[in-house]
Amino acid sequence: MSACKHLLHLVKHGGIRGCVRRHVTTWSPVGAAFNAKPHRRLDLFEKSVGLFGVPELSSPAGFQGATQKALRDTQRLVDTACSCSPGVQTVEAFDQLSDGLCKVADLADFVKVAHPDPAYREAAEKTCVEIGTVVEKLNTNVELCKSLKNLLDNPDIVAQLDPDTKRVAELFMFDFEISGIHLDEKLRKEAVALHVKLLDLNNEFLVGSHMPNRIARSVIPEHLHLHFAQEGSFIQVGGLHADSPDDLVREIAYRIYLYPNADLMECLEELLKCRNKLAKLVGYESYAHRALKGTMAKTPGDVLSLLSPVICTLFLSNSILMPWDHPFFSGVLRAERYNIEPSLYSPYFSLGACMEGLNNLFSQLYGVSLMSEHPSAGEVWSDDVRKLAVVHETEGLLGYIYCDFFHRADKPHQDCHFTIRGGRWCQETGQYQLPVVVLMLSLPHPTKSAPTLLTPGMMENLFHEMGHAMHSMLGRTRYQHYFPPLFLFSLLFIRLSSLYFSPLGTRCATDFAEVPSILMEYFATDYRVVSQFARHYQTGQPLPESMVARLCESKKVCGAADTQLQIFYAVLDQIYHGKPQNRSTTDILKEMQQNFYGLPYIPNTAWQLRFSHLIGYGAKYYSYLMSRAVASMVWRQCFVQDPLNRDMGERYRREMLAHGGAKEPMLMVEGNTPSQRANDIDFSGVFSAGPFHFK
């Protein structure tokens, strides 16, 4: 190209403008990759490798082929497990069985909510239902259970098992027991029928809990119409509008969005009855007792015991504020007292800068680097999805993270983490199966003049979700069955298939699963970490330490009230799933709000119908408080003195992240002290951590 033509080419494509503009900031490769504008791929002559490199998924029809292959492999492995002599090979067959089903189901769970093509979403939904039905049958398969029982009932064989194999065998047996394997054939069929009914009820409630309510436009003052979506002669209210500075807008949104829906109310009442009936059928005192077995808390009594001291410390009452006031006024107090307007911070938090910060943090703590890779044709579902290889300095490639970070139509507007494939040692190939995860955010696209700029809240959420991803990457479990959590995400999209209720493939305790992600929030607000990456995207100037200090101090404003609200939710969740009450869920809500929350119940509202966490975290909502307390302990014991200490990073990985579900969570938390109980955990960190980012 001649010099003249080259100059014209630069002008045409913005090269001259880019050279002249005062962009002095330089980024590492991973930072540059995320600050660059996404380009539309031209794969016209490149053969599709299929979603996530799965060849069958080059088209929606491929889901059927992948499903059928998984089911054929399932039958083969069931035959193997039932016919082989009791021993390690029995457990390995079970784990292969779990892995084969989860690889298809996990991928389908993601595609059905995230793929922009309706045909893919529909095909994935069919796969979820088909795999879920098979899992229900497996969890009540007497012959399959007998093969495992023969192993565990033989002390000589058990004595020869290594600790990991013994624990995973016990976990599989636990799955059988909570599914009612001990029942006679008639009652087993009843249990399966209840599972299927619960699948439908959960789906119905989850969808309904996020549907907008509508009201005639004539009822709302005309000057307020612009604040709401309009549908003909109706106003649609799809949220609480908690950040609106207009008192009347907040009140209208609260009263309309939470107005009771009779059909959804009936669905919730029936859902709770079915859960209780199933728990009783399989031998538990209540659904809460069934759900909490295997967690750090152990029993509903322990949950209430660990919450009680916090309740006594926190209970506040206010006769002036209304429920729609608290989120707005707490935000105003933080902003005005500490001058933390997000627009002041965003120029320092470009997406590339934040990814560079995460890369630096992981490199210093664990010797791990994030490396941007170019996906192959058909590998990703949107052109703006980025692929990261996670590479350890001595161990090599640990796995892959697909970053689906940008807003698009029909995409969930929640921050999520999905496991697409769990890690495990493959006896059949002699290699480790590398984990694959997706991080989903809903960030604004870059503009012509600037990369994507994050608010402090967005930056913290990115760190939070990356904590889940690194839990998956750094875990090195022998068995897939206790690989780190399937997917921990904003509860809107908790697993709908019956795999959730009969957890063949459950990984680690729910009340431990949020610890790695919440711990990352501490790193995100420590100036020693932030100073390594937060710099102005145009000038390169670092974020002043005083601004980080103000941001941290602002988190303490109304912190007790935020915690009190979460305790109210946790107690309500326990009561709903405890001993059946001869009264409506609204009556229970009203009493619990009076007893555990300082703001009044508003007549003709039913907040519980928006409590979508009841699906994924039924009887386990306390897990957020538990995980936050544990994360606080880890921070104080390991990182508060030096958040970049390599020795502490390696210790944290070795003692907590590496195990998945292979080790009792309380043993990891309390330094291998079996006598330690959940209610001995120090909850003081809950108060100092600032507002909750519950998702």
Side-chain angles (χ1 to χ4, degrees), residues 74 77-84 87-102 138-139 141-152 165 168-176 424 479-481 504-505:
T74 294
L77 289 165
V78 168
D79 294 340
T80 299
C82 292
S83 61
C84 68
V88 175
Q89 61 269 35
T90 307
V91 181
E92 289 174 347
F94 268 80
D95 197 61
Q96 288 181 47
L97 176 60
S98 175
D99 180 57
L101 290 170
C102 284
L138 290 176
N139 281 339
N141 184 315
V142 176
E143 291 304 312
L144 192 60
C145 178
K146 189 182 296 183
S147 67
L148 192 63
K149 190 170 174 23
N150 288 341
L151 183 157
L152 291 173
T165 302
V168 81
E170 292 169 344
L171 288 173
F172 275 117
M173 182 56 72
F174 171 68
D175 293 342
F176 279 122
R424 64 182 283 264
Y479 294 104
Q480 180 267 166
H481 193 66
L504 184 64

Side-chain angles (χ1 to χ4, degrees), residues 54-68 120 123 127:
V54 179
E56 293 92 339
L57 300 186
S58 297
S59 70
F63 265 108
Q64 185 62 23
T67 302
Q68 293 307 311
Y120 267 101
T127 289

Side-chain angles (χ1 to χ4, degrees), residues 506-544:
T506 299
R507 286 11 181 232
C508 73
T510 309
D511 49 8
F512 177 79
E514 287 287 329
V515 171
S517 55
I518 291 173
L519 181 66
M520 283 296 293
E521 295 175 20
Y522 285 88
F523 289 100
T525 52
D526 189 294
Y527 186 71
R528 292 165 294 181
V529 176
V530 175
S531 62
Q532 293 202 331
F533 70 88
R535 55 192 190 276
H536 201 285
Y537 75 98
Q538 289 178 311
T539 67
Q541 290 297 310
L543 179 67

